[in-house]
Amino acid sequence: MAVELRLTTSKPASFYLRAARSFLEGVPAKDDKPAKPPLDTVTLTALGNAISVACFIGGTLEKERLATIAAVRTKWTPVAGPMKHTPNVTVVLKRKEAEKLMSGSLAVTNESTDPIAGQKPGTSGLRKKTKEFMGKNYLENFVQSTFDALKATNVPVEGGTLVVGGDGRYYNKDAIQIITKMAVANGVKTIWIGKDGLLSTPAASAVIRTREGGFVPFGAFILSASHNPGGLDEDFGIKFNCENGGPAPEKVTNMIFENTKTIKEYKICKGFPTMDIGTSGTYVVDGKIRVDVFDCAEDHVGLLMKVFDFDSIKKLIARKDFSMVYDSMNGVQGPYARRVFVEELGAPESVLMNAVPKEDFGGKNSPSHGHADPNLTYAVELVQKMGTNKTGEKVGSGEGVPDFGAAADGDADRNMILGKQWFVSPSDSLAIIAANISCIPFFKEGLKGCARSMPTSGALDLVAKKKKIPCFVTPTGWKFFGNLMDSGDEKLGFTSEHLHGKYFPETENYTPFLCGEESFGTGANHVREKDGMWAVLAWLQILASKNPDESKPLVTVEQITKDHWKVYGRNYYCRYDYEGVESEPANTMMKNLEEKCATLKGTELKGMKVESAENFEYNDPVDKSVSANQGIKIVFTDGSRIIFRLSGTGSAGATIRVYLEKYEKPSGNLDLSQFEVVKPLADLALEISDLPKLTGRDSPTVIT
Ligand code: VG1
Ligand code: CO
């Protein structure tokens, strides 16, 4: 475990010395206080005059042989006042006893290899069948191509720190060992690995942004195919996140892909020891390379505790008339859920469902059939528990049903929110969080900006309009939100002019910022990924603030949703997925649709007039990059929309997504089933696109 001590001159040096020492030594049990185990990492951060205190403590504890100074880092930090910036020093202490010295060869071998076709990263990294990933040089080629792209753009790979972790699926642990050996061969000096190889996607982002004082690593490899099933016969994936903690932007992933087409050799240290990633500690190999294996939850949960008011959520959870459940779907979220709900918020162990990470997320015979995908179709166990069916309608009397239920996907960046017999659609959830944002301490002054992906419903736009804040519409995929969150941030401390590292001090600052997607992804600028746990805590915080008085009846999730519709109206919304379609007819369908766009405008279809029809193109307002071909969008004069896209996360064939939306004013009928309301739009979509004829499919495989 790690801790950060922020030194100031308001307390004497001896106070901090004692504190650092007791963290490193641990504290024995006393009276009714439990023992505190020793911590492996103590980070001292200090500004201005406190810097000498940090040096004094580090030097003293090293002399006492209690700790090793693993790193001393300096950077400039913005401060209020005329100085504007001040020097900032971070001293990283590693507990001597937790340090394991290992021998091993650091000799680098250049292995020759040939390009492998199809290594193009999609919406969120490269995803393929696990067996393909396990094939000769498959992972190695992609990893080397990434290092080469980074080095070509002056990312400080050499001598740098790299984060590696994954969602725990089959092949995760082996891949981590390979990446470690390749990273060392490519000059990386320090590798941070989540214990047991686990790091959720948002946690990896939090580690980059906050561990050891923040912004130490140059990036992270996250091993995940997210909600796609895991196992030898299922999917595996890898993605690279940059030094801001966000997914590599398109210019980087394009560069990686180009490299995979010409790669001739990769570098690996074959004699580097295989690391014990099941035991926390800091391993020093050959006196030169440091591998830290650390608790996967500490940085992320530590950050969330700064964003939210845990005490008020704790009070909500303690209420006798409130109960909740949380389904980790046997993905990576289990350890995080236990830490947050049970250890920090005092909920009983029984709130945790499927909280043990499994390599196959429970596999084919589990209720979710191994799809760690939090939606009404796959989160079967939770949906049943919450008293609804797979179209979100109430089932049974509601007796004994918890008041709140939520779930995460395999890599824990997604969330599904449920109330007692009540489903909140992700687009509505985003809008409701926006409308109630100031309940959350991190946002107490409100939002400066927000964004949604293009296929996400326009519910957020209505809130943004009322609050008079900018609302951006981006292509699908979290990487497009990154620039908006980094905009106006000078990020002192980054010296290299590389990749995404060209920060944008001149452009508008939009933080605090909220963003989300219809695909059960919600998040904010505390990290640069969507964050499943964040969304759930946001809802719990809203519930806590709507229920300040325990003697009054509980204001429920259902009520909060309905109250929202009464103010803003309701964006009835559904997504139809046609999975496992042949690529060729899917591409033909999209091409035909694009051609049709030119003539659709102004025409009438089943009594609905087309206002616009286009292939969505995004012009990034921050770095001015252009992303074309992001989905066919048909908008009608009554505000209804039909959108067609091909998925970019599948591992084989094609998945067609059809997004349907119909707006109803606050004075209209707000209590219909979304599936019924959008049905006529779905029929129209099939007619316009010729989908059934081209693909041979009459009905979608999944409706969300
Ligand atoms: C899907 C979703 C998209 C999401 C992406 C990654 O992409 O539609 O909104 O960002 O998955 O989510 P696509 O290209 O298949 O539509 V995750 O949780 O799978 O990393
Ligand atoms: Co995911």
Side-chain angles (χ1 to χ4, degrees):
M1 294 283 275
V3 71
E4 185 182 325
L5 263 179
R6 295 191 171 192
L7 314 185
T8 67
T9 46
S10 65
K11 292 208 173 75
S14 56
F15 169 83
Y16 293 115
L17 181 61
R18 269 200 313 277
R21 200 182 273 132
S22 71
F23 282 129
L24 290 161
E25 286 177 333
V27 182
K30 200 176 161 202
D31 304 328
D32 55 348
K33 284 194 188 133
K36 285 189 187 153
L39 305 184
D40 293 348
T41 306
V42 175
T43 305
L44 311 171
T45 53
L47 301 177
N49 291 340
I51 290 175
S52 61
V53 179
C55 301
F56 161 72
I57 296 175
T60 309
L61 295 174
E62 195 170 60
K63 249 186 251 152
E64 288 177 11
R65 304 192 60 77
L66 190 59
T68 308
I69 299 177
V72 178
R73 303 190 185 101
T74 55
K75 61 183 174 191
W76 285 84
T77 307
V79 284
M83 291 264 295
K84 285 205 172 143
H85 302 114
T86 180
N88 175 334
V89 161
T90 307
V91 176
V92 182
L93 301 174
K94 298 284 176 186
R95 186 164 65 92
K96 191 99 194 156
E97 269 183 22
E99 224 177 32
K100 292 166 196 128
L101 305 182
M102 298 175 79
S103 55
S105 164
L106 303 183
V108 177
T109 320
N110 290 311
E111 291 280 327
S112 62
T113 184
D114 290 313
I116 299 171
Q119 293 200 319
K120 187 174 167 55
T123 314
S124 180
L126 177 66
R127 295 182 191 178
K128 286 283 183 276
K129 288 287 160 208
T130 309
K131 278 186 181 149
E132 205 169 336
F133 256 103
M134 293 169 75
K136 189 162 191 269
N137 298 347
Y138 197 91
L139 176 70
E140 289 85 346
N141 276 14
F142 187 80
V143 170
Q144 188 61 51
S145 297
T146 305
F147 281 131
D148 290 344
L150 299 175
K151 288 181 185 178
T153 45
N154 299 327
V155 174
V157 171
E158 269 144 50
T161 298
L162 174 72
V163 182
V164 193
D167 62 18
R169 70 180 58 225
Y170 185 85
Y171 195 51
N172 188 37
K173 289 181 178 166
D174 294 337
I176 288 175
Q177 302 289 351
I178 294 172
I179 294 171
T180 302
K181 290 176 192 193
M182 289 184 66
V184 175
N186 277 280
V188 174
K189 278 273 176 304
T190 308
I191 299 159
W192 291 354
I193 303 175
K195 185 169 163 290
D196 299 320
L198 300 179
L199 274 181
S200 77
T201 288
S205 192
V207 165
I208 293 178
R209 298 178 67 83
T210 65
R211 192 171 179 79
E212 290 192 2
F215 300 106
V216 175
F218 64 83
F221 278 109
I222 303 175
L223 304 166
S224 173
S226 189
H227 56 284
N228 297 14
L232 180 60
D233 294 315
E234 301 292 352
D235 289 358
F236 191 78
I238 181 167
K239 62 176 173 165
F240 185 77
N241 279 32
C242 293
E243 80 290 350
N244 68 337
E250 274 191 333
K251 58 184 167 186
V252 182
T253 53
N254 288 343
M255 217 186 291
I256 297 170
F257 180 46
E258 288 309 313
N259 287 346
T260 66
K261 295 187 208 162
T262 54
I263 187 165
K264 290 199 177 65
E265 57 179 33
Y266 67 85
K267 293 184 193 308
I268 188 158
C269 287
K270 288 181 168 172
F272 195 81
T274 297
M275 306 306 303
D276 171 13
I277 58 175
T279 314
S280 295
T282 163
Y283 302 85
V284 182
V285 180
D286 204 24
K288 293 192 188 74
I289 307 295
R290 189 178 282 278
V291 178
D292 281 353
V293 177
F294 59 96
D295 177 277
C296 66
E298 62 187 17
D299 300 290
H300 188 221
V301 176
L303 178 60
L304 292 172
M305 288 174 77
K306 290 184 188 147
V307 171
F308 297 99
D309 174 1
F310 268 48
D311 284 339
S312 74
I313 300 176
K314 200 170 181 173
K315 279 190 203 127
L316 170 78
I317 290 181
R319 271 177 80 131
K320 289 204 177 57
D321 59 349
F322 181 83
S323 59
M324 64 167 281
V325 282
Y326 187 82
D327 191 349
S328 299
M329 302 198 80
N330 294 125
V332 73
Q333 189 78 309
Y336 300 84
R338 170 164 283 109
R339 183 70 57 81
V340 169
F341 298 117
V342 178
E343 291 172 24
E344 297 296 342
L345 295 171
E349 186 79 20
S350 57
V351 303
L352 305 177
M353 295 168 61
N354 302 312
V356 177
K358 290 188 182 161
E359 289 196 330
D360 61 354
F361 304 146
K364 284 212 163 66
N365 298 326
S366 67
S368 69
H369 302 294
H371 289 263
D373 196 355
N375 57 39
L376 292 171
T377 304
Y378 290 120
V380 180
E381 230 179 313
L382 176 71
V383 168
Q384 267 173 13
K385 232 182 200 156
M386 294 308 294
T388 78
N389 62 14
K390 67 177 193 180
T391 50
E393 283 145 353
K394 294 184 164 64
V395 176
S397 67
E399 180 84 28
V401 170
D403 302 285
F404 184 79
D409 69 336
D411 63 334
D413 53 358
R414 297 188 179 202
N415 72 90
M416 172 164 67
I417 303 292
L418 297 158
K420 188 190 281 264
Q421 297 192 293
W422 188 253
F423 166 69
V424 187
S425 88
S427 298
D428 279 349
S429 168
L430 176 64
I432 293 168
I433 294 173
N436 293 286
I437 199 84
S438 47
C439 303
I440 303 170
F442 186 81
F443 303 97
K444 62 176 184 298
E445 312 291 342
L447 294 168
K448 281 220 196 99
C450 62
R452 64 167 169 93
S453 64
M454 183 274 283
T456 304
S457 96
L460 177 69
D461 309 38
L462 301 172
V463 180
K465 197 169 164 203
K466 190 159 187 193
K467 291 188 179 256
K468 299 196 175 63
I469 51 166
C471 178
F472 298 92
V473 178
T474 59
T476 293
W478 211 260
K479 57 180 174 251
F480 294 101
F481 294 132
N483 283 352
L484 294 166
M485 292 190 263
D486 287 334
S487 179
D489 188 346
E490 48 181 322
K491 284 284 180 308
L492 279 161
F494 288 119
T495 45
S496 47
E497 260 276 306
H498 55 79
L499 296 178
H500 202 251
K502 272 203 214 88
Y503 288 90
F504 316 105
E506 310 300 334
T507 47
E508 194 80 22
N509 185 309
Y510 300 117
T511 57
F513 187 84
L514 171 76
C515 48
E517 297 189 275
E518 49 63 44
S519 53
F520 298 82
T522 327
N525 63 293
H526 65 297
V527 289
R528 293 290 179 272
E529 284 282 3
K530 54 184 184 265
D531 188 339
M533 185 59 83
W534 179 93
V536 170
L537 289 168
W539 266 92
L540 289 171
Q541 189 90 75
I542 292 169
L543 279 165
S545 98
K546 303 246 179 218
N547 289 289
D549 183 352
E550 196 171 348
S551 65
K552 302 250 166 70
L554 193 78
V555 176
T556 63
V557 173
E558 176 172 350
Q559 217 166 317
I560 292 172
T561 313
K562 287 183 167 167
D563 289 349
H564 184 89
W565 293 338
K566 270 187 214 136
V567 177
Y568 294 97
R570 181 172 176 188
N571 296 69
Y572 284 103
Y573 187 88
C574 262
R575 183 176 104 182
Y576 285 22
D577 292 337
Y578 299 81
E579 296 171 323
V581 173
E582 306 259 340
S583 295
E584 210 187 291
N587 291 332
T588 308
M589 187 196 91
M590 292 303 286
K591 205 169 134 267
N592 292 350
L593 276 168
E594 172 152 31
E595 280 162 14
K596 267 194 184 168
C597 278
T599 55
L600 271 178
K601 193 178 164 181
T603 58
E604 210 159 282
L605 302 164
K606 290 204 169 146
M608 293 168 68
K609 199 163 174 199
V610 178
E611 189 181 88
S612 67
E614 56 170 6
N615 190 342
F616 179 61
E617 178 181 284
Y618 180 58
N619 294 287
D620 187 309
V622 182
D623 74 1
K624 310 288 178 217
S625 60
V626 178
S627 302
N629 204 17
Q630 297 295 330
I632 302 290
K633 184 173 96 175
I634 302 171
V635 183
F636 298 89
T637 47
D638 71 347
S640 298
R641 301 191 310 164
I642 300 174
I643 290 149
F644 297 89
R645 257 189 83 245
L646 294 187
S647 157
T649 55
S651 58
T655 292
I656 300 171
R657 304 205 194 284
V658 183
Y659 309 80
L660 309 156
E661 177 179 357
K662 187 174 188 311
Y663 178 67
E664 186 71 53
K665 290 194 293 289
S667 56
N669 193 345
L670 304 172
D671 296 320
L672 302 170
S673 145
Q674 69 268 36
F675 298 95
E676 293 301 322
V677 172
V678 303
K679 185 77 181 35
L681 280 173
D683 295 341
L684 185 54
L686 298 190
E687 204 177 301
I688 303 173
S689 62
D690 244 352
L691 187 148
K693 211 170 114 207
L694 285 166
T695 65
R697 297 293 182 83
D698 286 331
S699 51
T701 33
V702 181
I703 302 183
T704 49

